Amino acid sequence: LGYTVISPTTREARSGNTCFACEDGRDLVNRLQNHNVYCWGEFGRVRVSTHLYNSSADVTRLLDALEELK
């Protein structure tokens, strides 16, 4: 989608959080909320925290919303 993932890529350093660079993360987070996607954004990045409670549909909704908001 054109975002640069800044989370660690080595297996040992991975977590359930994924961060990507975003110049105005706070604005993107506010716009994502209108698509029922809740995440954190500030300091030039957005963090998406996926866990056991998230489904494939949640991830799809995130990706669809990011595509629409580009």
Side-chain angles (χ1 to χ4, degrees):
L1 297 174
Y3 294 100
T4 301
V5 176
I6 56 176
S7 298
T9 57
T10 61
R11 184 177 185 91
E12 298 80 25
R14 287 190 218 164
S15 73
N17 298 326
T18 302
C19 292
F20 58 89
C22 182
E23 198 169 297
D24 193 352
R26 189 175 294 189
D27 178 62
L28 180 58
V29 165
N30 290 334
R31 292 186 296 140
L32 285 169
Q33 287 179 5
N34 294 327
H35 294 268
N36 293 318
V37 174
Y38 300 94
C39 49
W40 176 89
E42 213 169 60
F43 308 116
R45 67 182 179 261
V46 171
R47 182 185 69 220
V48 179
S49 300
T50 53
H51 297 283
L52 175 66
Y53 308 108
N54 294 106
S55 67
S56 296
D58 294 326
V59 175
T60 298
R61 186 171 59 250
L62 165 66
L63 295 174
D64 289 347
L66 286 172
E67 178 70 33
E68 182 178 324
L69 296 172
K70 280 196 326 188

